Amino acid sequence: MISCGIIGYGFLGRILAKRLADYRGRGLELRMLANSKGYLLLDGDVPPGDITPLPRFRASSPLEPVERGLVDLLVVLTPTNVRTGEPGLTYIREALGRGVDVVTADKGPLVVAFRELTSLAESMGVSFCYEATVGGGIPIFSLARHSLMGDRIISIRGILNGTTNYILTRMHFEGLPLDLALQEAQMMGLAERDPSLDLEGIDSACKIVILANALLGVDKRLGDVKVRGINQVTSDAILAAKELGMTIKLVGSIEGDRLSVAPRLVRLNHPLCVHGTLNAIEFKLDIMGDLTLIGRGAGESTVSALLSDIEWILNRRAYLRGGR
Ligand SMILES: NC(=O)c1ccc[n+]([C@@H]2O[C@H](COP(=O)([O-])OP(=O)(O)OC[C@H]3O[C@@H](n4cnc5c(N)ncnc54)[C@H](OP(=O)(O)O)[C@@H]3O)[C@@H](O)[C@H]2O)c1
């Protein structure tokens, strides 16, 4: 039986824990949950998802069970600091270094230490999966690594932040000024109380760094991205774009060595021109030409990406055991 731990029992952690109840028959058991207060060891008789009310968490480091060898697969779902990578970076580094497979949705650790973590996983012979970090449930990395293997990615462009896309959509279709569209997004729970990481383009820039490092084999940092957010986008600018059959979108792009995030004019009938909180990513490929993926970039759909990573690890372990 593969023993799984989840650090970060918040929005994603709770949905994932429920889903993992179905995996006991597949040889995976949820053994540990952790939050900012500490951790909880689950005995096999407690079905995850039915743990309400939650017993008290043991006020100790969630790494304790990892150090005691009680966890084979660790899922890290903590709030992320994109400048330090913490707290996820320490959890991931420690787990990989002890030969534990890791799945995460945290951007910070990948933005700060992509090469270090992927090299560590490789040297330890374990899996490090992060499909959920960019585009929520949209299968970007698995698609690129499997189905696009025979082609060459020339460039990538994407609308990678649902909050700013919602705001720009409301400005375009309802003529709202930015501050009112932002207030609306906050009231709907789509924008944080401090929305600066989204509005200033930093969240999109983090995703561009992860895409570049993971898919184009470079070693980029946040400082390598030329970033301009949507703070200066006015209703008049959107109206002028509209009159030309276009709109303004916050577009992240990777072209050659150049990484950027900026508000750009996009034709209303262009595949990349998605509205509301949707995300879109466009690959320009050597043989196939353009390929655009569209989907929900956050929310419950993100759990689809987490489960896809977990499935990949289960299959790999079965293969290594000679079971397939
Ligand atoms: N939500 C989405 O749609 C989405 C999509 C893609 C990526 N992500 C990323 O996935 C991660 C998790 O998102 P979420 O929405 O599930 O977050 P969330 O609801 O805020 O939950 C975060 C969890 O992490 C715990 N935590 C905070 N600091 C910790 C620490 N130092 N050690 C251990 N646990 C700690 C919190 O504990 P308490 O409960 O004690 O506060 C909480 O249980 C974030 O990095 C986010 O950016 C989220």
Side-chain angles (χ1 to χ4, degrees):
M1 189 68 84
I2 296 168
S3 173
C4 175
I6 300 179
I7 303 185
Y9 194 55
F11 176 75
L12 293 180
R14 283 167 193 266
I15 303 173
L16 181 67
K18 265 196 192 134
R19 294 272 174 184
L20 289 182
D22 299 340
Y23 276 70
R24 289 195 72 191
R26 306 268 319 277
L28 183 137
E29 183 178 40
L30 185 57
R31 283 295 316 276
M32 181 198 70
L33 294 174
N35 62 16
S36 66
K37 287 130 203 133
Y39 71 84
L40 177 70
L41 288 180
L42 307 168
D43 78 45
D45 297 333
V46 183
D50 286 355
I51 329 165
T52 43
L54 269 178
R56 275 170 69 87
F57 280 48
R58 187 191 172 93
S60 190
S61 165
L63 283 174
E64 222 172 70
V66 175
E67 288 159 4
R68 285 168 56 201
L70 300 177
V71 174
D72 307 310
L73 163 58
L74 185 69
V75 186
V76 180
L77 303 170
T78 55
T80 198
N81 181 318
V82 298
R83 309 281 173 195
T84 65
E86 298 298 352
L89 178 54
T90 298
Y91 296 145
I92 294 171
R93 194 184 267 144
E94 287 296 314
L96 292 175
R98 287 172 188 273
V100 171
D101 291 320
V102 172
V103 170
T104 190
D106 297 14
K107 290 176 286 291
L110 286 140
V111 169
V112 171
F114 185 86
R115 288 276 156 251
E116 178 205 324
L117 296 176
T118 48
S119 306
L120 179 58
E122 207 176 304
S123 69
M124 294 301 296
V126 293
S127 303
F128 176 42
C129 302
Y130 43 82
E131 184 66 80
T133 55
V134 183
I138 306 175
I140 298 170
F141 300 106
S142 49
L143 180 101
R145 292 218 181 94
H146 301 289
S147 312
L148 304 182
M149 280 283 282
D151 214 322
R152 186 173 67 86
I153 299 171
I154 297 169
S155 64
I156 301 175
R157 289 200 303 162
I159 291 176
L160 303 168
N161 181 273
T163 305
T164 46
N165 204 42
Y166 177 84
I167 291 169
L168 293 172
T169 299
R170 297 293 287 162
M171 291 174 75
H172 179 93
F173 287 106
E174 309 302 328
L176 295 183
L178 190 135
D179 55 346
L180 276 189
L182 170 61
Q183 272 174 31
E184 189 184 87
Q186 284 171 321
M187 271 170 10
M188 293 174 69
L190 298 173
E192 303 286 333
R193 263 226 305 267
D194 173 10
S196 53
L197 283 184
D198 293 328
L199 293 191
E200 289 168 13
I202 307 296
D203 177 74
S204 296
C206 289
K207 291 165 179 166
I208 283 293
V209 169
I210 298 173
L211 285 169
N213 288 342
L215 300 182
L216 301 175
V218 293
D219 188 11
K220 298 288 183 185
R221 304 289 155 97
L222 202 47
D224 296 318
V225 191
K226 201 170 164 193
V227 190
R228 192 152 46 86
I230 65 164
N231 316 49
Q232 308 299 323
V233 175
T234 61
S235 308
D236 285 348
I238 298 246
L239 193 61
K242 205 169 173 174
E243 281 163 8
L244 297 170
M246 301 178 123
T247 191
I248 296 177
K249 295 287 182 192
L250 185 64
V251 179
S253 34
I254 307 170
E255 279 167 58
D257 208 29
R258 288 193 311 276
L259 275 51
S260 70
V261 172
R264 306 245 184 243
L265 286 169
V266 179
R267 283 216 164 275
L268 282 167
N269 60 1
H270 191 282
L272 206 53
C273 191
V274 293
H275 300 302
T277 56
L278 282 176
N279 281 20
I281 177 150
E282 178 195 68
F283 291 101
K284 197 168 277 302
L285 297 152
D286 186 22
I287 304 171
M288 203 203 304
D290 293 351
L291 169 70
T292 308
L293 306 174
I294 294 171
R296 293 195 194 100
E300 188 161 354
S301 65
T302 309
V303 175
S304 165
L306 295 171
L307 288 170
S308 157
D309 283 347
I310 290 170
E311 288 282 349
W312 155 258
I313 289 171
L314 289 180
N315 287 337
R316 180 173 181 267
R317 279 178 170 252
Y319 174 80
L320 291 175
R321 279 201 310 272
R324 295 217 173 151

